[in-house]
Amino acid sequence: MTDDTEGGPEGSTTYPAHPGTARTRAYWNIRHRDHDDLASGGHIGLDRAGNELFYALRLGALLSLIGDLTSPAAPLFVLDAGCGKGHFARALARCGHRVDAFDASPEAVERSRAANGGPRYAESRLDEWRSPWPYDVVLCVDVLFHVLDDAEWAAGLRNLASLVRLTGRLIVTDEDDDRPRPLGDYILHRPTAAYREELEPLGLRHTEFRPYAFRENRVGFHVFTRTR
C-alpha cells in the first residue's frame, strides 16, 4: 500500500468505495489483481520506471534503518505487516533476516506465496496478528494512513507495538505533521503526536523520522524504539 492519488486512463478499473473494512479488502484485492507487482503496492499514477525508483528509495532507507547484513547464528526476526505482494519482505529475507509477513488481502498473500523468496506469509488484519515470539523489527509501510477509522487504526497500531521486543523497533510510515490531513476518500495522514500518544504509554519512544524524499511525497519512516 502507499500514498497515491486514485485515477488512471480511460477504461481503467473502477474500484469500490474505500471506507469500511469489507470495502477496504475488496479495494485492495482488486488493486492487487489488476496491477503489476510494483504499481499494486506502489503509486498507480507512476509508470513502471517511476515505481522502480520509488521502491528502490524506500528499500534503501529501510536497509539503512534495519541493516542489510545479519549474523546467520543470530538473525533478526522481522515482521512485515501489510506486506502487499511481499516486495520488501523478500528483500529483507535476501539479506538474511527471518521474515514473517501478512496482509489483509487474500489476493496479495496468494501472489506473495507464489513468489516465495523466504518469508512466511499469512492473511491477517493489523489488529489480528499474533506471534509466539517478539520481533526485533516490526515494519508497516504505507498501510496505516489507509485505515480511516480511528478506533481500527489505534487497535492495529497497539497490536503491532505489542509484538516488539525490548530494544526492538516499530517502523511505520506517515507524514510528519502537527495536524490530520485527509486526501480523497481513502487516505488520512495523522499527526506524529497521534502516534506518540498511542505508543509512548506502551514503552515505545519516537527516535527518528526519515522522509522518503521522493518527488512531492511527504511520507517517511517513523521509528519507535521499545525502551521498557
Side-chain angles (χ1 to χ4, degrees):
M1 300 181 186
T2 191
D3 181 6
D4 51 28
T5 55
E6 194 55 75
E10 292 185 5
S12 59
T13 300
T14 299
Y15 294 96
H18 198 274
T21 299
R23 288 178 176 176
T24 296
R25 292 190 182 193
Y27 171 94
W28 287 106
N29 267 328
I30 293 172
R31 181 159 163 172
H32 284 298
R33 184 194 68 201
D34 292 349
H35 290 277
D36 68 26
D37 58 322
L38 298 185
S40 61
H43 194 310
I44 58 176
L46 295 174
D47 60 14
R48 179 77 183 187
N51 268 308
E52 286 176 348
L53 177 58
F54 187 33
Y55 268 94
L57 286 172
R58 288 183 294 169
L59 178 58
L62 271 176
L63 293 179
S64 69
L65 290 170
I66 298 173
D68 59 350
L69 297 173
T70 186
S71 166
L76 292 179
F77 284 83
V78 179
L79 174 65
D80 185 356
C83 65
K85 290 178 180 172
H87 183 90
F88 294 125
R90 288 190 296 275
L92 293 171
R94 287 195 298 269
C95 291
H97 304 303
R98 293 189 180 177
V99 182
D100 288 341
F102 70 82
D103 199 276
S105 164
E107 183 76 23
V109 173
E110 181 180 345
R111 300 289 184 92
S112 296
R113 286 173 173 162
N116 198 2
R120 295 173 292 188
Y121 295 106
E123 183 184 338
S124 178
R125 288 174 28 169
L126 296 180
D127 61 343
E128 293 174 336
W129 182 256
R130 301 293 184 268
S131 172
W133 50 74
Y135 295 95
D136 298 290
V137 178
V138 173
L139 175 67
C140 191
V141 178
D142 294 357
V143 177
L144 286 162
F145 51 70
H146 287 297
V147 182
L148 303 185
D149 181 80
D150 286 336
E152 183 182 351
W153 170 83
L157 185 61
R158 288 195 298 266
N159 186 52
L160 297 182
S162 73
L163 300 167
V164 181
R165 71 165 178 83
L166 186 63
T167 74
R169 287 163 291 170
L170 171 63
I171 302 175
V172 300
T173 63
D174 210 324
E175 296 182 353
D176 185 24
D177 210 339
D178 59 0
R179 65 192 66 188
R181 192 170 78 94
L183 290 176
D185 63 356
Y186 81 124
I187 291 174
L188 175 59
H189 292 295
R190 293 176 173 85
T192 304
Y195 286 88
R196 296 181 64 173
E197 183 177 353
E198 292 293 336
L199 295 173
E200 287 180 350
L202 303 178
L204 287 101
R205 182 169 60 89
H206 190 258
T207 51
E208 185 175 353
F209 174 74
R210 187 171 301 187
Y212 290 165
F214 177 73
R215 300 184 182 179
E216 77 286 354
N217 200 307
R218 297 167 54 181
V219 176
F221 296 100
H222 287 278
V223 182
F224 289 86
T225 302
R226 179 170 293 286
T227 58
R228 58 178 173 82

